[in-house]
Each structure stands twice: as structure tokens, then as C-alpha cells.
Amino acid sequence: LMLGAALAALSTGVSAQTIGFSQIGSESGWRAAETTVTKQEAEARGIDLRFSDAQQRQENQIAAIRSFVAQGVDAILLAPVVATGWDSVLEEAKEADIPVVLLDRKVDSSDDLYLTAVGSDLVHEGEVAGQWLVDNKPEGECRVVELQGTTGSSPAIDRANGFRAAIEGHDDIEIVRSQTGDFTRSGGKEVMESFLQAEGGGDNICALYAHNDDMALGAIQAIKEAGIDPGDDILIVSIDAVPDIFKAMADGDANATVELTPNMAGPAFDALEAFMADKSAPPKFIQTESALYTQADDPMAEYEARKDLGY
Ligand code: GYE
């Protein structure tokens, strides 16, 4: 009888959903929090989440998606490491009638190859960071160094463009060096060391713009080790709002960050549930908020509010 009931539940689709999640890796504190939150959201909703960590490699993500399709999952979440090269595998999922929801990064593929994309306005984040610098830079010429995210990823492309748009027309602000730190702390530290060396120290650098907080935190360490005062001698503006950047702000070592919620899965699962219930199509882009935080915003309170969230 119990087996019969279980089979009936399966055949009527009452059984829990199975959703595959192809995650990029664990390059940043933000990424780790997104993974934690996604697992928690799935558990709270009774979703059987199949998690795959691609360790930063697109080929691993493509293999994971193919495996999810072969397993016949009900839906797929994809955080795409780079923007290009997804057409074929997204077509395969579409052929198999498996909806794909993009998380936090965008793809260059046509938008009929995925159900929806949950994420922030990545260009706007760069603009907010750039505008903060325009409003807060010291008098006179300001030479900026930039730590970019993973090459070819949509946040690296969009955050670079947004920042440039914000400083355009401000002739006293100039980006003098720009290099990828791959969204990691170690990358940020290493590249900042090379920036300082190439600039003959920190005297000629007015500000650092980092495409995420982790790179900023690595750079802060490099700046301190060079005997320079981050947050004062070199202004630091970055993106994500991870707990440690608030600590750095409280210490006066960092100046501003733009918040990115790690909860992309909540809106993604909501959209999938509605779609599966009655095929109602969500908008192609579900946008999360991008709030600016500075040293004036009680950074220790912000740290406390986030420190247990899986970062
Ligand atoms: O800002 C960074 C991460 O894809 C928007 O990826 C995301 C970025 C996030 O590793 O910390």
C-alpha cells in the first residue's frame, strides 16, 4: 500500500522537485554565502538540490548541465562563470524541456534559451562605486587602480563599464592600472603588490576600485604591508558587502561597498514554482537591490547582521 501511494505521488508529480545547481566555485566570500543560502532555501522548500562545483571551469559547468539533463531533473540553476559559449548546452536543456534559471551572472546567449535570470544590475553597481569616488575623492588629480573580476565574466565586464561611465567627464580622475585578480583575496593581494611596485609605492595612487570585496581585502593587506594607510592614503571602494569588508570599514581600512544579496535562489525558486504550477512565464530579468554602504553606516552592526549567513 505504501509503495502504491509513493508511486501515485510520483506519477501525479506531487513528489519533491529535483533541481540541479551548477555553481562556479568558491572564489569569494560572497560565492560561499550564495552556495549556503541556495542549499538552505532548497531544504526549506523540500527541494532535492543536486549541487555541482565547477571549480571555475566552464567545461565542468557544461558537463554538469549535461549530467543534470541526463538525470531528468525538473530544473537547473546556473551561475555562469563567463558570458560566452553557452548556446549548445542551453539548447540541449531546452530540447529536454528543462527550464534553466541563471544566477548572478549573465550569458550572451539569446534569452529564449533560459527561463529567467536573477541578479543585480552589474553596470549600475560599477556606476554606484564610481559615483562614490567622484563625490569623495580628495582635491586634485586622482589616479585610480582597478582590480577586475574574472576575465570574460559578466560582472567583470559590466562593473568595469559602469565605473568608467560614472567617472566620465571628470578629467581629474584617471584609471592608471587595471588587471584581473580573479575575484579572489590572494589574487587581489598579489596584483595590488605589483601595482604598488609599478607605481613606485602608494604616493601616486589615490584610490583602488575592486570588482569585489575579497580582492579589496587582499589588496588592503598588501597596502598595509607596504606601510601605506588603506582607507586614508588610498581610498578603497568595492562591491558585495561581505562581513569582513564591514570590519575593514569599522577599522577605517575600507571606505565603501555596494551590496549584493547572496539570496538569488529564493527569487529563482519562486519563479520556478510559479512556472511549474501553471506555466506562467516570469520576466526575463529579476533584479536584486544594490545599496551603497560607507563608514558612516555603522559597519560593525552590518558585520554582525551578516556574519552568520554562510559567508
Ligand atoms: O560579486 C563576486 C563573485 O557573480 C556577481 O562573483 C557575482 C560575483 C561576486 O565571486 O564576489
Side-chain angles (χ1 to χ4, degrees):
L1 188 72
M2 272 175 63
L3 181 64
L7 285 174
L10 274 179
S11 61
T12 54
V14 175
S15 62
Q17 285 174 13
T18 299
I19 297 182
F21 177 22
S22 171
Q23 177 59 298
I24 292 169
S26 50
E27 71 280 1
S28 66
W30 184 87
R31 181 71 52 201
E34 185 191 49
T35 295
T36 304
V37 173
T38 304
K39 288 177 175 172
Q40 285 168 350
E41 280 284 329
E43 202 179 329
R45 294 164 191 251
I47 293 167
D48 172 14
L49 189 77
R50 309 228 168 130
F51 179 76
S52 173
D53 177 343
Q55 303 188 351
Q56 303 296 318
R57 299 171 73 102
Q58 183 178 34
E59 66 210 69
N60 292 344
Q61 294 202 285
I62 291 172
I65 295 167
R66 293 206 165 118
S67 156
F68 293 147
V69 169
Q71 292 165 46
V73 297
D74 299 304
I76 293 170
L77 304 182
L78 167 64
V81 59
V82 290
T84 58
W86 298 101
D87 287 4
S88 320
V89 76
L90 290 178
E91 271 157 21
E92 290 167 36
K94 194 178 180 177
E95 279 291 293
D97 257 332
I98 300 173
V100 174
V101 175
L102 303 177
L103 296 189
D104 69 86
R105 294 188 187 181
K106 295 181 297 186
V107 297
D108 284 349
S109 306
S110 144
D111 72 6
D112 60 336
L113 291 179
Y114 55 87
L115 181 68
T116 183
V118 181
S120 57
D121 181 336
L122 297 160
V123 175
H124 179 64
E125 291 169 341
E127 286 168 353
V128 171
Q131 189 59 47
W132 179 86
L133 186 63
V134 167
D135 296 339
N136 291 279
K137 74 169 204 52
E139 286 285 299
E141 197 198 357
C142 181
R143 300 174 80 253
V144 181
V145 297
E146 178 187 37
L147 284 166
Q148 295 208 348
T150 299
T151 304
S153 71
S154 70
I157 297 163
D158 289 352
R159 288 172 180 172
N161 288 335
F163 188 86
R164 282 161 179 75
I167 64 170
E168 201 185 283
H170 297 271
D171 295 339
D172 49 0
I173 303 179
E174 191 194 352
I175 300 172
V176 292
R177 294 191 187 271
S178 180
Q179 203 179 308
T180 182
D182 235 346
F183 281 131
T184 67
R185 267 188 211 213
S186 57
K189 181 166 190 277
E190 242 168 73
V191 176
M192 190 68 214
E193 280 164 1
S194 76
F195 283 164
L196 289 168
Q197 200 162 25
E199 289 292 318
D203 287 352
N204 293 322
I205 303 173
C206 138
L208 163 69
Y209 167 45
H211 289 190
N212 80 348
D213 290 343
D214 277 76
M215 293 190 292
L217 289 160
I220 286 169
Q221 219 180 312
I223 293 167
K224 282 183 171 173
E225 283 170 17
I228 305 157
D229 187 2
D232 282 310
D233 295 341
I234 299 179
L235 299 177
I236 314 279
V237 55
S238 52
I239 296 166
D240 276 357
V242 302
D244 285 354
I245 203 73
F246 287 110
K247 258 197 190 163
M249 275 191 212
D251 292 343
D253 292 341
N255 301 89
T257 189
V258 184
E259 184 173 35
L260 178 69
T261 176
N263 188 6
M264 305 274 163
F269 290 146
D270 287 346
L272 277 169
E273 273 163 25
F275 177 72
M276 284 167 179
D278 60 8
K279 292 277 159 198
S280 62
K284 282 292 169 183
F285 181 48
I286 299 173
Q287 193 183 324
T288 62
E289 299 290 314
S290 308
L292 176 76
Y293 289 87
T294 68
Q295 292 178 357
D297 293 311
D298 194 355
M300 270 329 275
E302 299 301 335
Y303 168 77
E304 288 295 331
R306 287 167 180 79
K307 70 179 189 349
D308 297 322
L309 295 178
Y311 286 96

